[in-house]
Amino acid sequence: MKIRLRERLFAYETRTIPRIATILDPRFKKQGFLAQSNSEEAAKALQEELNSVMTTTPRPQPAPPTEEPTRFSFLKTKMETTVQSLRADSIILLRQHLEKGNQPEKCDPLAYWEMSTDEPFKKISKKFLCIPASSCESERLFSKAGQMISDRRTRLSPSVVDKLLFLNKNKNINKIKI
């Protein structure tokens, strides 16, 4: 069974979305892969994703100096004028993530990244970890729509069907007290 499981799941390691989702998961990181080459490819894909997220996020501009010059003001101006590379920043963020210890098995990856202070990882985790694992929910919705729209109910407008499906799907939600 163990061998058969490896054969069936190995193909998923070569796909980009499962790679990034696995390496983003704080419980697994690089240890979640069967092949070392797949973990390296996942790290490269995550680095590219970090780089693209960081290019769309505006960087804070340093405030103009309002203080009197001090002994070490030359050092402060030198640090402010250094060239900052988004690629280098994404490499550093990725290394920091991979060098942190793995979280316990009970850890929820979405909750972990929601509490994190790393904004690029928050955006990427929302993008890759929120993908449903199966199509069961959509199949249930289509099935329910098929039950609602029968030969005797062909005059229902699409907006009414949407509202009926919404109400049916959310009927078990507890009432909110205002």
Side-chain angles (χ1 to χ4, degrees), residues 23 29-30 40 43 46-47 50 87-101 113 118 121:
I23 202 162
K29 300 179 186 176
K30 282 192 170 185
E40 296 301 324
L46 182 58
Q47 180 185 334
L50 276 170
R87 189 153 211 58
D89 291 346
S90 65
I91 292 170
I92 290 168
L93 273 176
L94 178 63
R95 284 188 182 167
Q96 287 174 348
H97 166 63
L98 294 176
E99 288 175 1
K100 286 180 188 173
W113 287 118
D118 297 330
F121 279 115

Side-chain angles (χ1 to χ4, degrees), residues 61-70 73-74 76-78 80-81:
Q61 297 295 327
T66 57
E67 306 169 356
E68 296 180 14
T70 61
S73 61
F74 73 93
K76 185 176 180 181
T77 56
K78 186 175 181 180
E80 288 175 356
T81 58

Side-chain angles (χ1 to χ4, degrees), residues 20-39:
I20 294 176
T22 302
I23 202 162
L24 259 180
D25 195 323
R27 301 170 295 175
F28 306 126
K29 300 179 186 176
K30 282 192 170 185
Q31 290 80 23
F33 295 93
L34 293 173
Q36 180 69 26
S37 61
N38 287 334
S39 67

